[in-house]
Every structure is written in structure tokens, then in C-alpha cells.
Amino acid sequence: MKKILAVLLAVMMVAGLCACGSAPAKEDPAATPSDETPPAAEETTPEAEEPAEPATTEEPVSEEAEVRSYKIGICQLVQHPALDAATQGFMDALNEKLGEGVCTFDNQDASGDSANCSIIVNGFVSDDVDLIMANATAPLQAAASATSTIPVLGTSVTDYATALDIADWNGVCGGNISGASDLAPLDQQAAMIKELFPDAKTVGLLYCSAEANSVYQCTVIEGYLKEMGYDVQWFAFTDTNDVASVTQDACDKVEVIYIPTDNTAASNTEAIANVVLAAGIPVVAGEEGICKGCGVATLSISYYDLGYATGEMAAEVLMGADISTMAVRTAANVTKEYNAANCEALNITIPEDYTAIAE
């Protein structure tokens, strides 16, 4: 009996030990979080970082944001070949320097009216354009009055000091204005008159009194002509309406007529030609367009090249150059040219170093 009780007691003790050994297995779910946490963290970490990658490395507009477009206002005093060529050269230069489509051009014609220039330019200021190109003196003066902050570049402007009433001219306008000058050497133009018409005694200066740069040119060339012994007379028309009558008056009193780079004259060359050819009076002009319409000879620049140079300046300004320190640029080359048809009509022989103006 005692042996039976001892065996039963041993069995119970073994069962108790087995129960104690199985307790950790029952508590294993509570223990596994600490053992399995690292793998869980490895799975969730990449998922947490993925949303940040597109915003920092694959932003679709990052490169496009650096490309800027510019609004350019162009005020052209009047339509005629010289100013048209300058405007075209200006736009071509900007398109080539900055790329096609980068600049949007608002090209407006003032129809020869300075009041229209002010209206046009004030519109550009209201539109907050990035730059104004003033093609001729009146648009430049209007732009100078309309804004002191928007960059303004002139072209086809003869003398900036006269146009802007700048004393002590040093070649720089300062402020928000610069540009390119269409002034061909006036001493060489006077020498051309002497070369072609050495026996003439009187020269008439035909110009529009409303154009300050025409007055300037006439004043300067008068000095050279008087030094050469010519009697010089001034003949001023006020607008298109009296061009023909004033031209006729000049033809009645002088042997040769000089016309500076005058926009009103350039717009009325046919009316002038009808008078001077009938009267047999030769015209020496300040630029090719006027000569082609009513003159016999000119010492001219290329207005396309002039406009192109202005466009190069505009590209520099838009890219950050300081316009207040930019010197006014001048035409690099001048050419002796002649109008073959008018020379033949007036029986004038032209030296061999002159180039015929293309028809």
C-alpha cells in the first residue's frame, strides 16, 4: 500500500513540473511583440518615407518655373520703311537672343501724332509691360514722361540730349532710359553735298518743325555748309498738310535741298518727289528711305541693324543689366548710296564709290 501511494505521489509531482514548464508557452503571445518589433519597423519605414520623394525630387514644374515670358510694348511714331525696318530688327534680335515665344510684342503705330504716343505709352504702363521700345523721338519723349521705372529703349532717335533735354551730355541718359541713335555723321553729309554739287550757291534745309531731332540736325549741318561757303535757308512744314507747299517754296529759292532723318518727310516722299523732280531740284537725304522716295543721294545707316542693336540692348536689360549705366549706341557703318532713277531724271552723274539703292 505504501508503494502504491509513493508511485501516485511521484506521478503527481511529474505532472506538476510539466504544468510549470508549459506556462511560458501559454504566455508566448504576450512576449512576441518585443521579439517581432524590429521586422515590423523594417516594413513600415519605407512606406513612411515614400510620400516625401515626389515633392522633393520629381516636382514636374521645377524646370518650367525658371522660364519667364516678357511683355514688350513698342510705340512706333509712324509707318515708313526706315522705322518699320528698325522695329523688325528689334523683334528679331530679342527672338534670337531669348528664344522664340519668350517675348510677347504689343506693336502700336501712333500715325505720326505725338498725342497718340502718350496714349499708347500710358497704356503700356497700365499693362505693366516689362520694357518699352520707343521708335523715334516723340515716342521716346512720351515714354520718358509716362514712367521712371519701366525700362525704356529708344531707336531711330538722332540726338538723345536734345530729345530728353539733357545738359552736359556724356553719352548716358541715366535713369530708366537708353537706346540707339540713327545719326549718320553730319559733317560727311555736308561733304557729300559739296562733292556732288560744288558749283551750287544755296542749300535749303527741309524739315518738320515738330521734330526736335530734325531741328538739331539742321542746326549742326548748317554750320558745316556755311563753312563750305553755302548760303543756307530753312524751310519748315508743320505736318503732312503743308509738305508740298513748303517744298515748292524751297524749290523756288535754292539749288539743292537737304532733308534730315525726318519722320514726317519720310512719310511724304511721294509728295516731295512730285515737286522737286518737276522743278529739277536735287535732294540729298539723311537716310535711305527718304532718298529712295525723293532724293538723289544719301549717307545712310541700316535701320534694320539699328533696331537689331536696340534689341540686343533689350535682351541685356531683361536679363539683369543696369540700363541706367548703358551708353547710347550708334550705327557701326554708313554707306554712300544713290537713287539711280532720280539721278537719271535730273541728269546727275554719281561717283563710282556710291552704291545704288535697290529697287
Side-chain angles (χ1 to χ4, degrees), residues 18-216:
C18 291
C20 292
S22 65
K26 291 180 181 179
E27 294 174 0
D28 188 60
T32 53
S34 61
D35 296 334
E36 297 179 1
T37 299
E42 290 177 3
E43 294 175 1
T44 57
T45 300
E47 295 177 0
E49 292 178 355
E50 287 179 1
E53 291 180 2
T56 57
T57 62
E58 298 181 6
E59 181 63 46
V61 297
S62 59
E63 293 184 3
E64 295 178 3
E66 297 178 2
V67 178
R68 182 181 170 187
S69 60
Y70 300 98
K71 294 186 295 183
I72 311 296
I74 299 175
C75 181
Q76 181 173 317
L77 177 61
V78 67
Q79 287 188 323
H80 64 69
L83 297 190
D84 293 346
T87 292
Q88 189 62 55
F90 175 80
M91 294 190 294
D92 287 351
L94 275 173
N95 286 334
E96 290 176 19
K97 297 297 180 181
L98 301 182
E100 290 283 348
V102 173
C103 294
T104 300
F105 301 101
D106 184 359
N107 184 9
Q108 298 194 38
D109 170 26
S111 300
D113 190 335
S114 58
N116 288 342
C117 293
S118 296
I119 295 171
I120 292 169
V121 170
N122 283 323
F124 293 156
V125 174
S126 297
D127 290 342
D128 194 26
V129 298
D130 296 291
L131 184 141
I132 295 172
M133 193 276 265
N135 194 348
T137 302
L140 178 70
Q141 293 170 327
S145 298
T147 179
S148 61
T149 56
I150 297 174
V152 175
L153 287 171
T155 198
S156 312
V157 176
T158 303
D159 182 61
Y160 283 76
T162 299
L164 301 174
D165 194 23
I166 300 174
D168 301 321
W169 175 249
N170 63 358
V172 178
C173 298
N176 63 320
I177 299 175
S178 189
S181 169
D182 64 354
L183 180 62
L186 291 167
D187 58 339
Q188 294 182 40
Q189 293 187 43
M192 176 180 285
I193 294 174
K194 186 68 173 179
E195 177 184 35
L196 296 176
F197 309 106
D199 298 327
K201 303 298 182 184
T202 56
V203 176
L205 308 179
L206 183 66
Y207 68 102
C208 179
S209 58
E211 297 190 32
N213 280 322
S214 294
V215 176
Y216 167 79

Side-chain angles (χ1 to χ4, degrees), residues 313-345:
M313 296 176 74
E316 294 172 18
V317 171
L318 293 173
M319 297 304 290
D322 184 0
I323 193 172
S324 68
T325 64
M326 296 179 85
V328 169
R329 299 178 187 179
T330 55
N333 300 303
V334 291
T335 304
K336 286 182 174 182
E337 297 179 325
Y338 72 99
N339 182 323
N342 287 352
C343 286
E344 182 178 357

